[in-house]
Amino acid sequence: MATKDFDYENFAQNLAAQAQELVPPEFNDNQKQYVINTLGNFAMLSGKALAEDPALNFNADQAITITQIIAEWSFHKSVDLIRSGIPQQYWDAVMQKIAYTIFEIAKQTFTQGLPHEKILELIEHHVKKSYLDAITELRNKGAIDDGLMEFAASQSNMDKMAQEMQQQQASGEISAPNQSNNGLPLPSGNVPTEFPKVDSKALKLATVAMLFNKMKQDKVQSILNKFDPDDAQTVIKYMRIPDLAERVGTANALRCLQEIKMNLPKARDLTPNKIVYRLRKAVSKYSRKEIDTILIRERMEVKRLVFNALEGKYYENMPPKVASIVATHLADSV
């Protein structure tokens, strides 16, 4: 039945008003207004559906929670889109796919009665996937190139804000004694105000630091352990810079990312048994029902690959290179 006691209009307006204080200060008026309007519109639409659709059976608290989740992700992903450099004419299409995905996954997970943390985890997985799918589609249509797609994929305002909050809480504007908030040691010394030309080693290390800021701590540390100690300390120092992306610059970052990609060693271990092992490990902590939810928006070929792997078999219709990419995506996002 409809949720009559949910005042979605006022709730959406309050969320939009709160967002005004959180929009990145470097955004121009048009960009700021886009973030606020996008959040407000999606919160209003989802709230209206939850409050008035007789086919939905959520109470007021559930409707509020779902609407707030949609508003929060609308804020973060619209910020990511603006920072990505993707032309504005494509923003709405990307955001509509993300909002629709959140709404559908939220309806299913709340109906199933999953724990709140599990719901948030699944929604985050599908938000990241729908965002990546949307910008990949733009690349496939020729609207953006590979470099811009990779740079857009690296954006995560949610992670950036979380990191900044941790830094501020550490000891008053990042004054903890030689220790960052993500557990990585921090070298002493001043950070640069600008970076030199694109072929410099410093700029490439700064670009690596941008990527590391989007990754989990344990993965970052395992990679840094393989770096030259001086380079590792430099990367960690750059990770402290709040506006690192702005200082590096989009054009410089794209060129560096492309060069780094070209010099990466090629993956050699693409045997079916290895891929099956990686897939099983990626979803090992989930029940069959939870895996169904995780894969609900995946292509049938991907579902067959995963469920065959659970039975210890490789799905022969999928090329090993593609299957390896699927395994990596699942491992990074679940």
Side-chain angles (χ1 to χ4, degrees):
M1 63 181 183
T3 309
K4 296 297 185 182
D5 52 347
F6 175 32
D7 186 357
Y8 63 86
E9 292 187 4
N10 281 333
F11 187 60
Q13 290 170 3
N14 287 337
L15 291 173
Q18 294 173 34
Q20 295 185 40
E21 304 299 321
L22 300 175
V23 177
E26 70 271 16
F27 281 12
N28 61 38
D29 289 342
N30 173 62
Q31 293 168 334
K32 291 178 180 178
Q33 204 58 49
Y34 182 82
V35 173
I36 295 168
N37 288 346
T38 299
L39 180 154
N41 289 340
F42 286 145
M44 184 75 72
L45 289 172
S46 60
K48 180 179 176 66
L50 292 165
E52 300 180 359
D53 188 344
L56 300 177
N57 191 27
F58 295 121
N59 59 39
D61 288 340
Q62 291 172 320
I64 288 171
T65 300
I66 294 173
T67 303
Q68 185 162 358
I69 290 172
I70 290 175
E72 289 176 356
W73 276 113
S74 296
F75 175 84
H76 290 300
K77 299 317 290 183
S78 60
V79 169
D80 290 345
L81 266 180
I82 293 171
R83 284 177 171 158
S84 74
I86 290 176
Q88 184 168 356
Q89 67 204 71
Y90 304 115
W91 294 352
D92 284 348
V94 175
M95 292 306 304
Q96 286 166 8
K97 291 178 181 178
I98 291 172
Y100 174 78
T101 295
I102 299 172
F103 191 71
E104 291 301 310
I105 298 301
K107 285 197 302 181
Q108 294 177 41
T109 52
F110 273 87
T111 299
Q112 293 171 4
L114 296 180
H116 187 66
E117 290 301 317
K118 182 65 66 177
I119 290 174
L120 296 181
E121 182 179 334
L122 289 170
I123 289 175
E124 180 175 2
H125 165 77
H126 284 287
V127 166
K128 291 178 178 179
K129 181 184 181 304
S130 62
Y131 175 71
L132 183 59
D133 287 347
I135 61 177
T136 300
E137 183 178 340
L138 290 176
R139 189 277 310 272
N140 292 341
K141 291 179 177 178
I144 61 176
D145 59 21
D146 287 345
L148 186 54
M149 183 192 74
E150 291 178 9
F151 184 70
S154 72
Q155 298 300 311
S156 179
N157 185 64
M158 174 171 278
D159 292 343
K160 184 176 187 295
M161 288 185 66
Q163 183 183 29
E164 290 173 354
M165 289 177 64
Q166 290 175 344
Q167 289 174 337
Q168 291 170 4
Q169 292 170 359
S171 182
E173 297 302 324
I174 324 177
S175 59
N178 208 37
Q179 185 74 18
S180 77
N181 296 287
N182 61 5
L184 298 176
L186 294 177
S188 58
N190 297 325
V191 296
T193 57
E194 61 182 16
F195 291 97
K197 60 184 181 179
V198 71
D199 59 351
S200 74
K201 182 177 180 180
L203 184 54
K204 291 170 186 172
L205 292 176
T207 303
V208 170
M210 289 171 55
L211 296 178
F212 283 178
N213 278 332
K214 315 300 180 185
M215 296 169 59
K216 296 179 180 178
Q217 172 192 336
D218 56 346
K219 292 185 178 181
V220 170
Q221 189 62 66
S222 66
I223 297 173
L224 283 175
N225 288 339
K226 301 175 184 178
F227 274 45
D228 174 86
D230 291 338
D231 289 345
Q233 291 298 311
T234 300
V235 170
I236 294 169
K237 179 173 66 177
Y238 290 154
M239 290 174 70
R240 297 176 60 191
I241 304 175
D243 57 345
L244 180 61
E246 288 75 19
R247 296 193 188 188
V248 171
T250 301
N252 284 341
L254 288 175
R255 286 193 290 268
C256 283
L257 287 170
Q258 187 64 28
E259 183 175 341
I260 291 170
K261 178 183 177 183
M262 294 295 293
N263 292 318
L264 286 175
K266 304 298 181 183
R268 296 180 180 178
D269 195 352
L270 296 176
T271 62
N273 287 341
K274 182 67 173 179
I275 293 172
V276 167
Y277 170 79
R278 290 169 57 201
L279 287 165
R280 295 182 70 176
K281 182 178 179 181
V283 298
S284 60
K285 62 180 180 179
Y286 297 100
S287 68
R288 182 87 178 203
K289 185 176 181 181
E290 290 170 339
I291 295 173
D292 280 331
T293 304
I294 291 172
L295 300 177
I296 192 167
R297 299 184 66 80
E298 298 284 0
R299 300 185 306 277
M300 183 57 66
E301 297 291 295
V302 173
K303 294 179 181 179
R304 288 174 179 168
L305 175 70
V306 174
F307 286 117
N308 275 20
L310 289 175
E311 298 174 1
K313 298 181 293 185
Y314 181 73
Y315 182 55
E316 299 292 345
N317 288 359
M318 184 171 290
K321 186 173 182 180
V322 177
S324 179
I325 294 173
V326 172
T328 299
H329 171 69
L330 282 175
D332 289 343
S333 58
V334 299

